Amino acid sequence: MPTITTNDLKNGMTLELDRDLVQVVDFQHVKPGKGGAFNQAELRNLLNGSKSNVRFRSSETVEKVRLEQKDHQFLFADDDAFTFMDQESFEQIAIQRDFIGDQGAFLQDGMTVSIEFYGETPIGVDLPEQVILEVQETEPVVKGQTAANSFKPAICDGGVRVMVPPFVGTGERIVVQTADSTYLRRSD
């Protein structure tokens, strides 16, 4: 693995530090009034999710990790895992529900996702930025309420809760941003 100095760290980089796989969440170069300059980094352990703050001397080196990304197709979900299929080798992989978390509600049959691997271990699942969902339940439209910039709660496919404009009704298809579950527009 290539080694880099801590001066070259950037947000989002993946490193191997003390046999742990960590990602740089936030990075700052600090030059105090007294003493030597140092680099302050907030690191997130990719295997267990814990966060830590670490100080590095400017001359220190760390090992940069290269991750492999592969496209996988979502097949199905069972009680405790989601199953994906590699689109090149057709091998199936099961990933625990806890690992994907709330983002699992956006998974749809046949959806293509990008899974990051460190060796053979999956360490991240990237969903598409936007998905199309059908509104399953929402309050009815109230006449005259559409002029105000107000939103109402709606429950969509997979149990996803989204705040939608008053003109959106039950049964309509909408585009939702997966990062923060925000309504973008009606689907075409």
Side-chain angles (χ1 to χ4, degrees):
M1 281 184 262
T3 58
I4 59 171
T5 65
T6 56
N7 289 332
D8 297 328
L9 290 180
K10 292 181 177 57
N11 292 348
M13 263 187 190
T14 304
L15 312 170
E16 187 173 324
L17 191 65
D18 300 328
R19 293 188 175 175
D20 283 333
L21 199 60
V22 296
Q23 186 174 39
V24 178
V25 176
D26 190 30
F27 173 76
Q28 293 179 344
H29 181 74
V30 180
K31 191 171 184 181
K34 281 183 155 184
F38 61 89
N39 297 307
Q40 179 78 28
E42 182 180 347
L43 305 174
R44 181 174 55 91
N45 188 313
L46 293 174
L47 301 176
N48 65 21
S50 65
K51 287 189 177 181
S52 61
N53 288 315
V54 180
R55 278 189 181 179
F56 298 105
R57 292 186 308 274
S58 296
S59 60
E60 226 173 316
T61 60
V62 292
E63 291 188 31
K64 183 177 178 186
V65 175
R66 292 208 183 272
L67 300 176
E68 184 180 355
Q69 290 189 336
K70 286 186 176 180
D71 285 342
H72 283 69
Q73 182 180 9
F74 173 65
L75 297 178
F76 61 89
D78 57 20
D79 293 339
D80 57 347
F82 296 105
T83 302
F84 299 91
M85 179 181 65
D86 187 328
Q87 293 185 323
E88 293 174 5
S89 67
F90 304 109
E91 292 179 21
Q92 293 184 9
I93 182 173
I95 298 178
Q96 297 300 313
R97 283 186 177 270
D98 313 1
F99 186 78
I100 296 177
D102 296 339
Q103 296 287 306
F106 291 110
L107 290 171
Q108 299 170 350
D109 289 340
M111 177 183 279
T112 301
V113 300
S114 178
I115 300 179
E116 281 186 319
F117 288 91
Y118 177 63
E120 296 294 317
T121 307
I123 60 166
V125 177
D126 292 329
L127 298 175
E129 290 182 22
Q130 303 170 358
V131 294
I132 297 174
L133 300 174
E134 184 174 327
V135 176
Q136 300 295 323
E137 183 181 322
T138 189
E139 299 169 7
V141 176
V142 177
K143 192 171 183 172
Q145 192 178 17
T146 58
N149 191 10
S150 61
F151 287 85
K152 63 182 182 180
I155 299 174
C156 299
D157 297 333
V160 177
R161 295 182 180 276
V162 181
M163 296 300 287
V164 297
F167 56 81
V168 173
T170 302
E172 289 190 50
R173 295 175 56 80
I174 59 173
V175 179
V176 177
Q177 190 167 326
T178 57
D180 55 4
S181 301
T182 56
Y183 167 86
L184 296 175
R185 64 184 182 280
R186 284 180 170 160
S187 175
D188 297 333

